[in-house]
Each structure stands twice: as C-alpha cells, then as structure tokens.
Amino acid sequence: MKKDQAQRLRELYQHFKTVTEEKTTKVVSVTSGKGGVGKSNFALNFALGLSEEGQKVVLIDLDIGMANLEILLGMNPKHHLMEMVYERKTIWDVMEKGPAGLELISGGSSFNEILDLSDQDTDYLFSELSKLQGYADLILFDTGAGLSKESQRCHLAADEIILVTTPEPTAMTDAYSVIKILHHQDVNLSIRLVVNRVANSKDGAAVANRIRMVTEKFLGKELEILGFIPNDSFVVQSVLEQTPFLLNYPKSQAAKWIRDIVSIYLHVDGKNEKNTGIKGFIQRISHLVKK
Ligand SMILES: Nc1ncnc2c1ncn2[C@@H]1O[C@H](COP(=O)(O)OP(=O)(O)O)[C@@H](O)[C@H]1O
Ligand SMILES: [Mg+2]
C-alpha cells in the first residue's frame, strides 16, 4: 500500500471514529396510563416521521406478548430481543429493516423475563444494546400500558419519556398516575405529553392543560406538551391494512399532525432531557436492574 493511501485510510478511520463517538444515540421511552390510547400507532408513525427527516431510528417493541408493532407494520420478525440473549445472537441478527430506513426489534413474548436474567445474560443484553451507540440517532421503546417493574426501569433510565393519552377521563387520570409514580422516583424526569384522538387543536390544548395544571399543582412538576393527533378514520383504516398511516395516507390529518410533532421534536429539546444517550441509559438501567 502506498504511504499516502495508508495515511488517507488512517485519517478516514479517525474521522469515522470521531463521528460515531460524538453522535449521541438518544433513548426515548413511550408510555401511557391506559391501554388502547394509540401508543403503538404513535410510536411507529413518529419513528417513521423522524426517519423521513433523515434520523436513524431503532424502534424496540417492549409491549410484553402483544407484538403490536410488527402487526401494525405487517411484518413477521424472525428473531427477538430475548432470543438474542438466550442464543447469544448479536443485535444486528435481531434487527429487521422496516420502511423508510426504520429498524425494528421485536421484544418477543418474554421481556418480563428480563428480571430473571442472570448477571451474565443481563450484561450480554446491555453490551449488545450498547452497539447501537453511534449507529442510531434515536432508540425508541414502545412499552406496555401502565407501569410494570420492567417498563418503569426503562422510563427512569431513558433520556426522556413521551406519555400518550386521549381526552377520555379514564385515560387522563391514568396518565396523571403514571406521572405521579415516576415523579416520586425521580423528580428530574423529562416527560412530554401527546394527546391522541382529539376533536381539534382546541380540544387537545384543553386536555393537555388540565393534566399540566394538576401536575404543577400537586407535584410541582412542569409538564411539557409535545403535540396532538386528531381522531382520524384513516388511522383505523391503516391498522386494518397493516400499513402505517404516515405512509399509507400521507395526506391524512393524522399524518400531517404527526409531522408537526416530529418537527417540534427535532427543534425543541425537552427541558430535563438527560442527553447521555445509550451509554447513560445502560449505566442507569444496569444500576436499577441489579439493585
Ligand atoms: N388518532 C386516532 N384516530 C382514530 N383511531 C385511533 C387513533 N389512534 C388510535 N386509534 C385506534 O385505537 C386502536 C389502538 O391503538 P394502539 O396504537 O394499538 O394503542 P395502544 O398501543 O395504546 O394500546 C387502533 O387500532 C385504532 O383503531
Ligand atoms: Mg401498544
């Protein structure tokens, strides 16, 4: 190899190293109080919206046993996260390519087993997840409704949490319960609210303000609003057709509002966002799991 060629390769390698080391792979965890509020549809279409904006997103389905995201995508993943752990597969083996450059990892039906993993298995899981540092801009976890021990750890360790609710009184009350429980464990969490299935933006703002006000009044916590999604029959239609509405009905109101949320998300950082990326996430979650 010629000297200048070797030098160029070295420079290229250095450049690549700095690029991958500097890129923060943000970890976002999506939750809701009540089930059926549209959390998976939001997570999926939000992830796709970010992908369309050039973000590399890895979407991880942690809704135990529900396999929601693969059904919404009409996909049938060959492997899942727990299989990676048990069979010592790599993270790349269990990642499936979805539309628009989105990557999906299915949690399988046994994410709750994470609590029973041996220390070696836990370390293996986290070492594989840490490989996503520099590869992805964003790791998005879709978790089950409510707060299981596992999902709570995921929320507490994430850089930020997105909480989805609808205007239904029960969904709002349950959303507030989630805020309260998480806030009692860490007062500095960044929680942003999305109100789904609103009649119009005024309706969305009224719902969001009510939750914001009780959160401020009773917990002294500032709740940020990320946006609203209208009640839209194209969402229902897309679920039936197993193709995300952002792709299937790009001109629908729901798609338009998701794009607004994506735009806000990319331009406005959450106030308490941890911003320590996948490395910080793994440090925090390891600590919580082994506690
Ligand atoms: N914006 C919306 N407009 C109309 N229907 C919606 C909307 N969001 C969700 N839905 C309906 O709610 C159902 C549940 O959504 P899903 O994302 O699976 O909820 P979750 O993950 O919270 O359980 C969908 O199958 C769809 O029929
Ligand atoms: Mg779901």
Side-chain angles (χ1 to χ4, degrees), residues 35-41 196-197 229-232 235-236 239:
V37 296
K39 181 165 43 64
S40 296
N41 272 281
N196 185 26
R197 308 195 74 161
I229 306 165
N231 193 40
D232 186 339
V235 177
V236 182
V239 172

Side-chain angles (χ1 to χ4, degrees), residues 208-226:
N209 279 331
R210 266 167 70 189
I211 302 176
R212 180 155 63 183
M213 268 156 64
V214 279
T215 305
E216 254 176 54
K217 186 168 172 203
F218 296 109
L219 304 177
K221 182 177 179 61
E222 191 184 342
L223 185 69
E224 289 173 73
I225 314 299
L226 190 57

Side-chain angles (χ1 to χ4, degrees), residues 39-40 63 68 142:
K39 181 165 43 64
S40 296
D63 196 352
N68 266 319
D142 180 21

Side-chain angles (χ1 to χ4, degrees), residues 4 27 41 44 50 60 79 92 105 123 133 135 138 148 180 186 203 216 227-228 253 258 271 273:
D4 59 338
V27 181
N41 272 281
L44 174 60
L50 288 165
I60 305 184
H79 306 294
W92 317 114
I105 298 178
D123 288 345
Q133 161 61 31
Y135 175 77
L138 209 123
S148 67
K180 195 164 123 188
D186 180 355
D203 177 36
E216 254 176 54
F228 319 124
Q253 286 301 305
I258 279 277
K271 283 216 176 67
E273 221 175 89

